[in-house]
Amino acid sequence: MLLLLVVHMTTLVESSNPPKKITVRITNTLEDNLDLTVHCKSKDDDLGEHLLHPGETYEFRFGRNFFQSSTLFFCGFRWPGDPKLHYFDIYSQKRDECSKCFWTVKKVGPCLYGQCFLWHDS
């Protein structure tokens, strides 16, 4: 009986707020035509390093956390001539409302649809 109640409640919640697949796309728009190395992770997944030549993109998809607003992917970025490893939360369910989050990366920081952010450097 309890199992039926849980299944029924889950169905009601899912039908009122269906989970969305999120697409994150990162495009290398660094000045001076530099290569960009990107390494993204979540608490549970390490997506590995990806080398992006000027104008190239890296894209990944995932489902949001259905029961709480806690989905978070963070990335490290580096490029030749800059010894720092730059960090940024590339997707935060608490911050981002996009289901297609298409980022461009510049030396000053990542930009989402024209709004640029500063790096969270360590």
Side-chain angles (χ1 to χ4, degrees), residues 62-82:
F62 57 90
R64 294 184 311 170
N65 187 321
F66 180 69
F67 294 104
Q68 54 185 337
S69 298
S70 64
T71 303
L72 176 69
F73 277 87
F74 52 95
C75 300
F77 300 85
R78 63 186 193 313
W79 54 87
D82 188 339

Side-chain angles (χ1 to χ4, degrees):
M1 186 66 145
L2 180 60
L3 179 61
L4 288 175
L5 179 61
V6 169
V7 169
H8 179 69
M9 293 298 292
T10 302
T11 303
L12 284 176
V13 171
E14 285 179 356
S15 63
S16 65
N17 186 15
K20 292 181 182 176
K21 280 286 191 181
I22 306 298
T23 301
V24 171
R25 180 183 296 163
I26 300 167
T27 302
N28 176 3
T29 59
L30 286 174
E31 300 82 354
D32 304 321
N33 289 319
L34 296 172
D35 287 340
L36 175 66
T37 301
V38 180
H39 189 176
C40 297
K41 300 178 182 183
S42 72
K43 181 177 76 169
D44 303 314
D45 299 301
D46 184 338
L47 304 178
E49 279 195 354
H50 300 273
L51 177 63
L52 302 180
H53 300 295
E56 289 185 340
T57 63
Y58 167 61
E59 184 173 295
F60 61 94
R61 296 185 75 210
F62 57 90
R64 294 184 311 170
N65 187 321
F66 180 69
F67 294 104
Q68 54 185 337
S69 298
S70 64
T71 303
L72 176 69
F73 277 87
F74 52 95
C75 300
F77 300 85
R78 63 186 193 313
W79 54 87
D82 188 339
K84 278 189 172 181
L85 180 60
H86 302 279
Y87 289 98
F88 188 75
D89 294 341
I90 206 71
Y91 180 82
S92 168
Q93 189 171 342
K94 292 179 182 177
R95 178 195 67 209
D96 299 322
E97 296 180 9
C98 51
S99 60
K100 294 183 188 227
C101 305
F102 294 171
W103 293 88
T104 58
V105 177
K106 301 174 183 285
K107 288 181 180 180
V108 296
C111 303
L112 180 64
Y113 300 117
Q115 181 180 3
C116 295
F117 300 83
L118 298 176
W119 298 112
H120 304 307
D121 291 337
S122 56

